[in-house]
Amino acid sequence: MTWEIYYTGLHVPEYIDDCGLDMRIHHMTTIEIAFMPPQNLDQVNTYLHKKSIVIFLSKNGVYGFHYWLNDQGMPLDGYSVEFMAMGDETSVAVEEKFYQSAQIPEIQNALGLIQKLQAIPKKPVILITAEETRPELPNWLNEAGWTYCHLPVYSTTVIQNHQLHDLFKNTQNEIIVFTSPSTVLGFRSEERRVGKECRSRWSPYH
């Protein structure tokens, strides 16, 4: 049996372990990313001089922050900052763009980052996120008395991917790989558009 894998993220990983299975990978993204210029340039510049912790919740945040710093002529070479990243792929992006390693929480979500921060002395934080982000981490930073600057650097837009549902047959040999909540919303919007409901095997991706 051939497994049909529908990958809904922006980019398919360079290496996918097929576990000895016969599979075909279909790249069917359901989102678009647009980088946006931050509005609080002076505040960010002040925080960069304070030996801050820069926290990335996604690799798109890394790319957006790097793009913005270069655009403003503000490379991080002259600043003493630490990095934290939500997960492995985000950490790889930090090393790729900033040539430094990033701390990764044992639990790769907001709770894990909070536990990581609870174990260290307070420092100023630059929180890099999408335009719309979950409130758990910002709320905790406020409640715990951390000084932080929230910096949205990109927006995520759900798009229609007609080709995805043209190919998707809703059979047991099909697996849909989601890389974020937004990719789920994108797929669900297509389901509603064509009146087809997915009842096959779902595979979350972290």
Side-chain angles (χ1 to χ4, degrees):
M1 178 173 66
T2 300
W3 291 93
E4 306 291 345
I5 313 297
Y6 301 97
Y7 191 91
T8 61
L10 285 175
H11 307 288
V12 178
E14 294 182 6
Y15 172 75
I16 296 178
D17 186 354
D18 61 14
C19 300
L21 301 175
D22 183 15
M23 62 173 60
R24 283 194 291 258
I25 308 295
H26 306 279
H27 186 206
M28 300 288 174
T29 188
T30 58
I31 59 172
E32 285 182 343
I33 297 295
F35 296 120
M36 49 190 283
Q39 303 300 312
N40 44 353
L41 172 62
D42 293 337
Q43 186 181 20
V44 173
N45 191 39
T46 299
Y47 272 66
L48 287 175
H49 283 87
K50 292 182 177 181
K51 299 183 178 180
S52 300
I53 302 172
V54 181
I55 299 179
F56 295 104
L57 304 187
S58 70
K59 62 182 180 182
N60 289 317
V62 178
Y63 298 149
F65 188 51
H66 180 264
Y67 173 82
W68 175 74
L69 288 174
N70 284 345
D71 184 62
Q72 297 295 322
M74 295 170 55
L76 286 184
D77 300 349
Y79 301 99
S80 178
V81 297
E82 301 176 40
F83 294 107
M84 284 190 183
M86 179 74 85
D88 294 332
E89 287 200 16
T90 306
S91 176
V92 170
V94 171
E95 292 192 27
E96 172 190 324
K97 294 299 183 181
F98 297 112
Y99 308 107
Q100 295 185 42
S101 60
Q103 300 180 59
I104 306 173
E106 185 174 345
I107 304 172
Q108 296 184 11
N109 57 23
L111 175 60
L113 284 171
I114 289 170
Q115 291 175 344
K116 196 84 173 174
L117 291 170
Q118 287 174 327
I120 63 175
K122 288 181 181 178
K123 291 183 177 182
V125 167
I126 302 175
L127 179 61
I128 309 295
T129 72
E131 185 176 26
E132 296 184 10
T133 189
R134 294 180 63 88
E136 289 86 354
L137 185 55
N139 286 349
W140 179 85
L141 289 169
N142 282 322
E143 293 169 2
W146 284 67
T147 302
Y148 78 98
C149 169
H150 181 200
L151 187 64
V153 295
Y154 71 97
S155 61
T156 304
T157 304
V158 170
I159 63 172
Q160 291 185 341
N161 190 324
H162 298 247
Q163 188 180 8
L164 171 60
H165 274 297
D166 289 341
L167 289 176
F168 177 66
K169 305 302 181 185
N170 202 17
T171 60
Q172 290 301 314
N173 68 316
E174 295 178 301
I175 297 176
I176 304 171
V177 180
F178 299 111
T179 60
S180 70
S182 297
T183 60
V184 178
L185 293 176
F187 183 83
R188 284 301 198 187
S189 70
E190 276 296 284
E191 285 187 320
R192 289 189 292 271
R193 184 184 68 81
V194 301
K196 183 190 297 183
E197 183 177 356
C198 173
R199 296 190 182 277
S200 76
R201 182 178 175 187
W202 293 57
S203 176
Y205 178 84
H206 300 286

